[in-house]
Amino acid sequence: MENPVIILGAQAVGTAALDAFQSNDVVIYCLLDDDAKLQNTELNDVPVMGNTDDKELLKLLGKKCEVFVATEDTASRRSLTNMLREEYEVAPVNAIHQRASVSPHAWLGHGNLIGPNAVVTSTAKLGDGCIVGANAVVDVKAEVGDFVQLGAGAILNAEVTVGELAFIGAGAVVVAGVKIGAKARIGAGSVVVADVPANQTVFGNPAQKV
């Protein structure tokens, strides 16, 4: 990546994104965060400057800077991504940790964060704005919708499909071929052996509706 990156968000997701970029020696221009307490501080020696909608800094996007959206709230990540596309005609870059393994035959959208030791295998598909935690696995022919979050160590086995805005907790296992609906939530450590409807929360081994 030739251009430096501006990261929108300087909390947990922003810290993970910063680590991913720095592991690849990518220059970070600054971080932006709406929390006034974080502004005018530093994170890993990178300055945290203004709000995430700072027009003076965002006008650098495109020719001079790339952008990554790393706010904590999924709805905020989606709205900021849409704003960047509509107002600045830019799409967020992917933040892939140097220790992650992403097959050249996987398909990735824009603005995904893939943590250390995560694996995205051949023919797997990620939409836009997904967070794949450290040591998580997305197996062959698995399809993950936009703005899905996979916690650390979560495993999506072959041919699993996950709808947009779903949340898969840390260490959860979704067995091969299972379908997870949009906005569904899978509790940490759960083993999912049957399809989960949209908007449903499940937990346990085997996972049951909460």
Side-chain angles (χ1 to χ4, degrees), residues 89-137:
E89 297 183 348
V90 296
V93 294
N94 289 316
I96 301 173
H97 198 281
Q98 192 265 336
R99 292 204 316 274
S101 174
V102 178
S103 168
H105 301 291
W107 188 93
L108 269 60
H110 299 284
N112 294 297
L113 171 59
I114 301 177
N117 303 314
V119 177
V120 181
T121 60
S122 176
T123 66
K125 183 175 181 180
L126 290 183
D128 296 334
C130 297
I131 297 175
V132 180
N135 301 297
V137 175

Side-chain angles (χ1 to χ4, degrees), residues 64-107:
K64 294 182 179 177
C65 280
E66 306 290 349
V67 66
F68 185 84
V69 180
T71 50
E72 301 301 296
D73 178 63
T74 304
S76 166
R77 287 206 311 280
R78 185 160 68 166
S79 65
L80 279 170
T81 299
N82 290 338
M83 178 272 290
L84 291 167
R85 285 187 165 133
E86 291 165 10
E87 295 185 28
Y88 297 93
E89 297 183 348
V90 296
V93 294
N94 289 316
I96 301 173
H97 198 281
Q98 192 265 336
R99 292 204 316 274
S101 174
V102 178
S103 168
H105 301 291
W107 188 93

Side-chain angles (χ1 to χ4, degrees), residues 22-67:
Q22 289 184 327
S23 76
N24 290 291
D25 298 321
V26 173
V27 175
I28 305 301
Y29 186 86
C30 68
L31 298 101
L32 302 178
D33 199 280
D34 294 334
D35 185 344
K37 294 178 193 165
L38 295 174
Q39 293 168 10
N40 300 311
T41 64
E42 288 190 346
L43 184 60
N44 294 3
D45 299 323
V46 177
V48 182
M49 300 172 91
N51 290 326
T52 53
D53 60 356
D54 187 314
K55 297 200 181 321
E56 284 302 304
L57 287 166
L58 294 182
K59 72 183 182 183
L60 298 173
L61 300 180
K63 293 181 180 176
K64 294 182 179 177
C65 280
E66 306 290 349
V67 66

Side-chain angles (χ1 to χ4, degrees), residues 192-210:
V192 184
V193 299
D195 293 353
V196 178
N199 300 300
Q200 192 169 101
T201 298
V202 300
F203 181 74
N205 179 10
Q208 305 285 336
K209 181 180 176 182
V210 175

